């Protein structure tokens, strides 16, 4: 526990009558009852049933503070480290339970003032000198200051550790959800509970373009419920219920600030790795210009492209086989014939539609189609070959910059 600061010793305090400490100690239990009741009455956060661990902790805290006050009277030089340690732990406990420091400090002030009023009556009944009574009042406030300071230090330490631990647990949860292989829902639920992350029905994974020194952008995303890992390559985040999360959408827009990103498809929470795989693939295709380079790309809008480039060696073999006839013409002629053939296949063999699509005369389309008939023959009318041609030509068109 950190050393206490700001609690001055008062060697000039007038001596206390020996019988005062003994009398106050005899009244301690009764005073503790009344102080505890007053705290519950005035501080709503502490207005809970007295039974159970919570009630026992509150009672123990009150007794410890009163004991500290009486010990001050009996022996001003007494080592009060144990009492301070108790309140340090009390502060830690309040933070870990998610209660506010304001409520704890209010309880200490209310309890301290009420205890002083009760014990002050006893001092007056003994006929003590006004100087002694004033010193007792100062001592009461000093006691409250000591325990409040110790509790605040414990609270701050727990918040720091809790924040760091929570971040570590959420990172482990993200790693679990995005691991290779099957993910057990029970394991997700257990770790999510300890990470204070409500398990959603669906998720999507976002892959981000790398950008150094941008860690601050994960704060609004984490606050919106996303699990964020900006240190992975590529940086990634897991979004809960992406199709219905308006809060996340606002945080996402704020955080990206124009940074390219790919959003994987929406999947069940235990299938998050599938969303990651496609988001990562889409981000790589963005970098190559096969998908829009800037802005946010949604995988759901580009599934055919992701399918085509899911196995590029296989795609290259397909292109080599079905597009081989085009290798017999010049490069310029090849590009024109490939463009016309793809448009013709996609338009259902409708020449006027092809002409409109390519901004050329229908007669030009017919001329090119006669060339294609010579190159491909009857294969142009075979359904399986037509499908292979569409796939091969579509992949080629993605790699060819528009005119």
């Amino acid at each position: 526990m950190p050393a206490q600061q700001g609690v001055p010793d008062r060697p000039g305090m007038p001596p206390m009558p020996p019988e005062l400490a003994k009398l106050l100690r005899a009244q301690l239990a009764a005073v503790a009852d009344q102080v505890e009741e007053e705290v519950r009455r005035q501080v709503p956060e502490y207005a809970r049933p007295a039974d159970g661990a919570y009630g026992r902790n509150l009672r123990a805290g009150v007794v410890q503070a009163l004991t500290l006050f009486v010990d001050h009277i009996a022996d001003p030089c007494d080592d009060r480290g144990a009492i301070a340690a108790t309140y340090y732990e009390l502060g830690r406990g309040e933070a870990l339970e998610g209660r506010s420091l304001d409520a704890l400090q209010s309880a200490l002030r209310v309890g301290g003032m009420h205890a002083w009023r009760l014990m002050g009556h006893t001092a007056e009944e003994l006929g003590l000198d006004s100087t002694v009574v004033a010193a007792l009042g100062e001592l009461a406030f000093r006691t409250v200051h000591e325990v409040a300071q110790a509790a605040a230090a414990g609270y701050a330490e727990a918040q720091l550790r809790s924040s760091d631990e929570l971040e570590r647990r959420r990172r482990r949860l993200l790693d679990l959800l995005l691991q290779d292989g099957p993910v057990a829902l029970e394991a997700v639920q257990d770790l999510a509970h300890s990470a204070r992350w409500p398990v959603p029905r669906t998720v999507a994974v976002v892959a981000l373009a790398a950008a150094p020194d941008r860690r601050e952008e994960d704060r609004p995303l984490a606050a919106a419920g996303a699990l964020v890992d900006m240190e992975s390559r590529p940086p990634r985040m897991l979004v809960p219920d992406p199709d219905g999360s308006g809060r996340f959408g606002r945080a996402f827009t704020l955080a990206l600030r124009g940074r390219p990103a790919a959003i994987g498809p929406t999947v069940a929470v235990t299938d998050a790795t599938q969303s990651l795989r496609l988001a990562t693939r889409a981000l790589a295709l963005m970098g190559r210009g096969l998908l829009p380079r800037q802005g946010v790309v949604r995988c759901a809008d580009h599934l055919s492209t992701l399918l085509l480039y899911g196995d590029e060696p296989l795609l290259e073999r397909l292109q080599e086989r079905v597009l081989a006839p085009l290798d017999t013409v010049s490069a310029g002629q090849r590009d024109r014939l490939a463009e016309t053939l793809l448009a013709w296949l996609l338009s259902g063999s409708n020449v006027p539609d092809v002409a409109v699509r390519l901004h050329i005369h229908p007669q030009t389309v017919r001329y090119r189609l006669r060339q294609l008939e010579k190159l491909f023959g009857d294969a142009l009318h075979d359904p399986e070959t037509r499908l292979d041609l569409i796939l091969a030509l579509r992949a080629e068109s993605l790699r060819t910059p528009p005119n």
Side-chain angles (χ1 to χ4, degrees), residues 121-194:
H121 292 323
T122 300
E124 292 175 357
E125 290 172 0
L126 289 175
L128 298 181
D129 183 84
S130 60
T131 305
V132 176
V133 174
L136 283 174
E138 183 178 343
L139 184 57
F141 285 108
R142 178 184 174 189
T143 302
V144 171
H145 180 84
E146 285 189 22
V147 297
Q149 187 181 47
Y155 191 95
E157 188 268 348
Q159 275 203 319
L160 177 61
R161 289 183 177 270
S162 177
S163 176
D164 291 344
E165 179 60 23
L166 192 63
E167 183 177 348
R168 284 192 292 270
R169 290 178 182 179
R170 292 195 170 189
R171 180 66 60 82
R172 290 200 301 270
L173 175 60
L174 182 60
D175 290 342
L176 171 65
L177 289 168
L178 299 183
Q179 71 179 14
D180 292 330
V183 178
L185 181 59
E186 294 78 6
V188 172
Q189 291 171 332
D190 289 345
L191 189 49
H193 177 74
S194 68

Side-chain angles (χ1 to χ4, degrees), residues 378-398:
D378 293 339
L380 287 182
H381 305 285
D382 177 66
E384 292 188 4
T385 301
R386 289 167 70 98
L387 175 60
D388 288 347
L389 283 168
I390 289 174
L391 295 175
L393 290 167
R394 172 61 178 160
E396 185 172 277
S397 70
L398 292 172

Side-chain angles (χ1 to χ4, degrees), residues 317-356:
R317 288 180 178 273
L318 174 67
Q319 290 178 308
E320 290 173 1
R321 182 176 65 80
V322 299
L323 300 182
L326 292 176
D327 294 337
T328 61
V329 300
S330 66
Q333 188 178 15
R334 185 189 191 284
D335 290 343
R336 290 191 294 272
L337 291 177
E339 179 185 50
T340 302
L341 179 55
L342 179 59
W344 181 72
L345 291 168
L346 293 177
S347 66
S349 307
N350 187 299
V351 171
D353 284 352
V354 175
V356 171

